[in-house]
Amino acid sequence: MIKESPLQAAAARYRATVPAGDYWMQVVKAGQTLRILDREGNQAADTLFYNAADPSERYSAVDTIREQGNVYLTAGTPLLSNLGNVMLEITADTCGRHDTLGGACATESNTVRYALEKKCMHACRDSWMLAVASHPEFGMSKRDITHNINFFMNVPVTPDGGLSFADGISDAGKYVEMRAHMDVIVLISNCPQLNNPCNAYNPTPIDVLIWN
Amino acid sequence: MTETPSPSTLLYEDRIPGGAHWSLLLRQGTSLRLIDLEGGANVGMLFYNPLEKLERYNAPDTLKCQHTFKLTRGHCLYSDMGRIFCSIVADSVGWHDTVGGNLSTAALQRKWGVKTYQDFRNDWIISGEQAFLVELAKYGLNRRDMAANLNLFSKVAPDDDGNLHFVPDHSKAGDSVELRFEMDTLVLFHTCPHPLNPAAEYPKKPIAYQLHTAAPVAADDYCMNFRPENQRGFQNNHIYHLQGKHPHGCC
């Protein structure tokens, strides 16, 4: 569902650019709104959320999918934790839908998906590993890396049980926005994927904006 | 395909009542055959590498590697390290779920109320969440290690718009699925209901399971050749095993 935001970028209290292949890890407070902006189009923002007070409570793809009865995320979707609590709610979306089935790329899964020789190509899970290892203040490790959201990715399912990675439905300037219902640690890997034509082998920067 | 393994390969068999939980260490070269005794069973299942329990079942990698939303014969179940815990070598059901997740304690109480052990003894009811927390704790694991699980015997079908529909009574009495283990794997499972099961009463569906000695994986193996990705997954397992087997197995 396409829903534009009334928020003006000039009024954001925070704005940063995250180049492809980098991570972004910060706390977003309850009541704040987070926007992820696809600057050049067809970029994937692989995102995880944690309760800032207890990271063992974290975004749960399967609970979110099941409770809304639909595999796609869009405006109006509550993002649920593994304890069934609403962590954030998607409040605006100019892309239309986002994937939470396909997970993140990893060097190891790249060997399976593409070729064993791809094993040293940079992947999202590496960005997350570096993020959790570089931020011991959050007390997180590989144990906490779970099934994520791929903002701007298009992964259609079919009634006979198929799944494919289709051409992106995002474009330059499209964004997704969500309001936090609790203080959350946001962990984004801006995907460095060079194996999959979904981004024309050209991973690009995203912007992250926050409003109070 | 529902071929029955030869009785000569049977190592052990047992039953698990409905609404219960258990765990097993399955060695490479062993298969686990699960049988729905009454129809309508659900087996929630999680996999870990017993030597490095941070390596665990990864539902998204399993689905996207094989371009599938459902699990059936031919599919391999992947860890987050690009390796295959096990292959589905036989399946009379045709569709197993790994997207519906697990029955939380809150959902259990909302749907089916509270039946405590004090009041109901062995007729008490527990959630899949409680079941997994107990089995995880036996191995020093906890909620942080709980990943998206399999729901064997259950079907959650998507429509063209991505809406999900639970299919009641999908599995029939006598239906079975067989997992052949391609590396040593710690298997946690429960027989609590699927979280989308709309039954008015908490369904307690027992299962039987059998352990078999699996035939060696041949060059024309169905699962290994099911997709080119699976050939590479088997190659990753081969590389892993080249690094030597642990002299005392697990732990």
Side-chain angles (χ1 to χ4, degrees):
Chain A
M1 181 174 66
I2 303 295
K3 184 175 180 188
E4 296 200 4
S5 168
L7 296 172
Q8 299 300 312
R13 63 164 288 275
Y14 174 93
R15 180 168 189 157
T17 296
V18 185
D22 281 7
Y23 69 82
W24 187 85
M25 189 179 199
Q26 293 206 19
V27 172
V28 172
K29 297 281 194 184
Q32 291 185 324
T33 295
L34 170 74
R35 177 187 292 180
I36 306 174
L37 169 69
D38 190 356
R39 284 170 58 125
E40 299 182 30
N42 286 341
Q43 180 59 14
D46 292 45
T47 305
L48 292 161
F49 299 105
Y50 303 86
N51 179 341
D54 175 9
S56 73
E57 180 174 16
R58 72 278 300 260
Y59 171 72
S60 170
V62 290
D63 290 292
T64 298
I65 289 170
R66 185 185 63 245
E67 293 307 311
Q68 75 162 356
N70 190 287
V71 295
Y72 307 119
L73 311 181
T74 188
T77 302
L79 304 179
L80 299 187
S81 76
N82 56 334
L83 301 183
N85 297 316
V86 178
M87 305 188 79
L88 308 96
E89 181 180 347
I90 300 180
T91 48
D93 177 17
T94 60
C95 183
R97 69 186 200 194
H98 306 268
D99 164 62
T100 193
L101 282 177
C105 62
T107 52
E108 290 82 5
S109 67
N110 281 347
T111 68
V112 175
R113 294 190 69 200
Y114 305 109
L116 298 186
E117 300 73 51
K118 302 286 189 184
K119 62 178 164 293
C120 294
M121 289 176 69
H122 189 32
C124 280
R125 213 169 295 160
D126 284 2
S127 292
W128 287 337
M129 294 302 153
L130 183 61
V132 296
S134 302
H135 292 276
E137 67 272 21
F138 293 125
M140 289 163 53
S141 74
K142 180 178 186 280
R143 291 177 82 183
D144 304 291
I145 298 302
T146 55
H147 192 154
N148 61 292
I149 299 173
N150 293 307
F151 287 116
F152 309 119
M153 280 278 288
N154 186 25
V155 183
V157 296
T158 59
D160 63 354
L163 179 146
S164 61
F165 288 77
D167 260 354
I169 52 174
S170 185
D171 204 350
K174 294 203 174 186
Y175 59 81
V176 59
E177 212 166 87
M178 56 216 96
R179 189 173 60 247
H181 286 225
M182 62 173 73
D183 293 357
V184 288
I185 302 164
V186 181
L187 175 51
I188 301 174
S189 161
N190 191 22
C191 188
Q193 182 60 263
L194 284 178
N195 296 294
N196 188 328
C198 63
N199 59 4
Y201 307 102
N202 179 32
T204 50
I206 57 167
D207 276 7
V208 178
L209 296 84
I210 300 172
W211 288 262
N212 279 329
Chain B
M1 184 165 168
T2 60
E3 69 186 32
T4 305
S6 159
S8 67
T9 64
L10 182 66
L11 298 168
Y12 179 71
E13 61 186 329
D14 195 8
R15 294 163 68 110
I16 301 287
H21 51 84
W22 199 235
S23 52
L24 297 165
L25 174 62
L26 273 296
R27 302 289 186 181
Q28 181 195 7
T30 309
S31 75
L32 172 66
R33 181 179 178 84
L34 297 139
I35 302 152
D36 182 354
L37 293 171
E38 298 178 0
N42 180 70
V43 177
M45 192 171 268
L46 288 168
F47 306 120
Y48 299 84
N49 179 344
L51 293 177
E52 176 44 271
K53 293 188 284 277
L54 286 174
E55 180 175 2
R56 59 197 178 200
Y57 174 66
N58 190 296
D61 283 359
T62 297
L63 295 180
K64 73 183 173 189
C65 282
Q66 301 171 98
H67 295 256
T68 189
F69 183 77
K70 66 181 178 186
L71 300 174
T72 186
R73 179 175 177 252
H75 290 134
C76 298
L77 305 179
Y78 281 85
S79 82
D80 62 281
M81 297 295 281
R83 293 189 273 261
I84 296 169
F85 281 126
C86 57
S87 308
I88 304 178
V89 293
D91 177 26
S92 68
V93 184
W95 185 308
H96 304 270
D97 167 57
T98 189
V99 173
N102 200 25
L103 176 68
S104 70
T105 303
L108 163 78
Q109 294 178 356
R110 231 175 13 247
K111 290 170 75 132
W112 291 305
V114 175
K115 291 177 79 173
T116 64
Y117 189 81
Q118 177 66 64
D119 292 335
F120 290 89
R121 294 295 192 259
N122 288 337
D123 289 329
W124 70 323
I125 58 175
I126 63 164
S127 65
E129 177 187 8
Q130 291 167 320
F132 277 149
L133 286 174
V134 171
E135 292 301 329
L136 285 162
K138 292 178 181 177
Y139 303 95
L141 305 173
N142 64 32
R143 192 185 294 284
R144 290 171 69 191
D145 305 286
M146 203 189 297
N149 55 286
L150 302 179
N151 285 303
L152 295 179
F153 300 111
S154 293
K155 177 175 182 177
V156 180
D159 65 19
D160 284 325
D161 297 321
N163 297 306
L164 294 173
H165 307 276
F166 179 81
V167 178
D169 304 318
H170 172 57
S171 170
K172 309 301 179 201
D175 269 337
S176 65
V177 57
E178 185 172 354
L179 309 175
R180 182 185 63 203
F181 283 80
E182 315 296 358
M183 59 187 276
D184 290 358
T185 303
L186 180 59
V187 179
L188 275 48
F189 65 99
H190 67 63
T191 51
C192 298
H194 190 284
L196 286 174
N197 192 321
E201 293 287 322
Y202 180 103
K204 283 201 169 184
K205 301 291 188 176
I207 58 138
Y209 70 88
Q210 300 174 342
L211 304 184
H212 289 267
T213 303
V217 178
D220 64 348
D221 183 74
Y222 185 78
C223 295
M224 185 169 68
N225 295 291
F226 187 71
R227 290 196 59 94
E229 289 88 347
N230 291 354
Q231 293 176 348
R232 295 192 285 271
F234 271 87
Q235 181 68 9
N236 279 342
N237 278 47
H238 175 65
I239 295 165
Y240 177 65
H241 288 128
L242 284 177
Q243 297 163 33
K245 300 280 177 62
H246 193 278
H248 305 294
C250 131
C251 316

